[in-house]
Amino acid sequence: MKLRAQRAVPPVIDLPEGWPGVARAGGTELAPADVVGGPHDPIAFVIGMRVPGCVPVLVPGEGAGDGTLWLTAGGAVPSVAAAGFADGRRPNVLQPGPRSLWTEVEKAYRWWDRVGRPEVFDFGLTVTVGAGEVHQVPWYASPDREIPERS
């Protein structure tokens, strides 16, 4: 069990003025369980690498499978994504801000799924130092299988 000081503090979700009217609307085929895992869950690890600065916050709803998955990322202009889930209905996704966080998370999930769903221990990091600079390259399975940056 983590000490109280080591526990993650949920971020304050800073919604832009004019919410939700200023958000891009869409949908998704993913469920919250597809993208929110525990600290040692491979998809949470992959999303952490492929979607930098993104913090997920799952707010449960009234029924089983209901709720809203919020994604936040800070910056000069913060980005937010809200994916609303209700049993028996198509999920609704709203994304205001300069980044489309839900879209980035979906791309990370699809990449992970396409490469065979590697486990956390299948990943590595190559670090090189040259001319006073440190270069880090994350990979999976072997150093020649680099993890692409977010797109």
Side-chain angles (χ1 to χ4, degrees), residues 42-64:
I43 189 57
F45 182 77
V46 168
I47 289 170
M49 285 190 300
R50 298 267 332 253
V51 189
C54 180
V55 177
V57 178
L58 182 59
V59 179
E62 300 285 324

Side-chain angles (χ1 to χ4, degrees), residues 23-119:
R24 297 172 300 285
T28 184
E29 298 300 320
L30 299 181
D34 291 329
V35 296
V36 176
H40 305 292
D41 188 295
I43 189 57
F45 182 77
V46 168
I47 289 170
M49 285 190 300
R50 298 267 332 253
V51 189
C54 180
V55 177
V57 178
L58 182 59
V59 179
E62 300 285 324
D66 292 354
T68 303
L69 177 57
W70 293 90
L71 304 173
T72 64
V77 178
S79 292
V80 177
F85 299 90
D87 195 28
R89 300 178 80 189
R90 180 169 164 33
N92 183 40
V93 177
L94 297 173
Q95 301 186 87
R99 290 176 64 185
S100 295
L101 294 175
W102 188 261
T103 304
E104 291 181 33
V105 164
E106 279 189 329
K107 286 180 181 180
Y109 175 87
R110 303 233 185 276
W111 172 85
W112 174 72
D113 188 53
R114 189 174 56 253
V115 298
R117 297 182 172 214
E119 295 290 329

